[in-house]
Amino acid sequence: MKHYATFAFAAAALAAALPAAAQDLSARPTYEAVTLNSGFANDPYNVSVQSGGSIDSSGIGSPCTGFIASAPDVRLNYQSGSLPLYLSTTSDADTTLIVNAPDGQWYCDDDTGEGLNPLVVFAKPQSGQYDIWIGTYASADFRAATLHISELSGY
């Protein structure tokens, strides 16, 4: 019985040390839920957000960087067509972009866009739900940013 208690204590300590999956894909988006069909008007569709959060996105995997919130900043329900899908941000801060696509895969970028702005391109986007987080490099460093959703170009 003594060995069982030691094992249980060690397992509990190990579980507490491992990072938990902190992104809540079922949570309501903090800023906006938007539905767009391919060929949407007003391209790019822009959403003003505050980037950042307290969760280190590197736990999602490489090349994810920056700190984000638990709930997505924006949820995009998208009906694809023949055009690519560009997700990008602009900000005075150095932001990052983390996207969970309809297939459950994570896509992350730091500085592919103009200057220090991130850009994620889906050449042949899937129809479905895209959960989007905009991160910053310091925990709880909330900075003004704009998410751009476009089929014409990355901003």
Side-chain angles (χ1 to χ4, degrees), residues 10-142:
L14 179 61
L18 295 175
Q23 281 54 61
D24 186 351
L25 298 172
S26 67
R28 294 180 65 167
T30 303
Y31 295 97
E32 189 170 339
V34 60
T35 299
L36 296 173
N37 295 321
S38 184
F40 59 90
N42 300 322
D43 190 334
Y45 186 92
N46 299 318
V47 181
S48 295
V49 302
Q50 292 289 314
S51 64
S54 60
I55 300 167
D56 185 351
S57 68
S58 66
I60 294 170
S62 182
C64 297
T65 59
F67 287 85
I68 59 176
S70 177
D73 293 313
V74 176
R75 176 165 293 135
L76 169 62
N77 291 298
Y78 180 70
Q79 181 62 49
S80 66
S82 61
L83 297 171
L85 178 63
Y86 299 89
L87 302 175
S88 63
T89 65
T90 53
S91 177
D92 290 339
D94 186 0
T95 56
T96 63
L97 189 59
I98 294 93
V99 180
N100 185 263
D103 62 2
Q105 296 294 311
W106 291 94
Y107 298 85
C108 302
D109 188 65
D110 183 7
D111 296 333
T112 299
E114 183 178 319
L116 297 176
N117 294 307
L119 168 67
V120 174
V121 179
F122 296 92
K124 294 182 179 182
Q126 304 166 19
S127 292
Q129 181 173 301
Y130 292 79
D131 288 308
I132 305 164
W133 288 261
I134 297 94
T136 55
Y137 276 96
S139 178
D141 183 18
F142 301 101

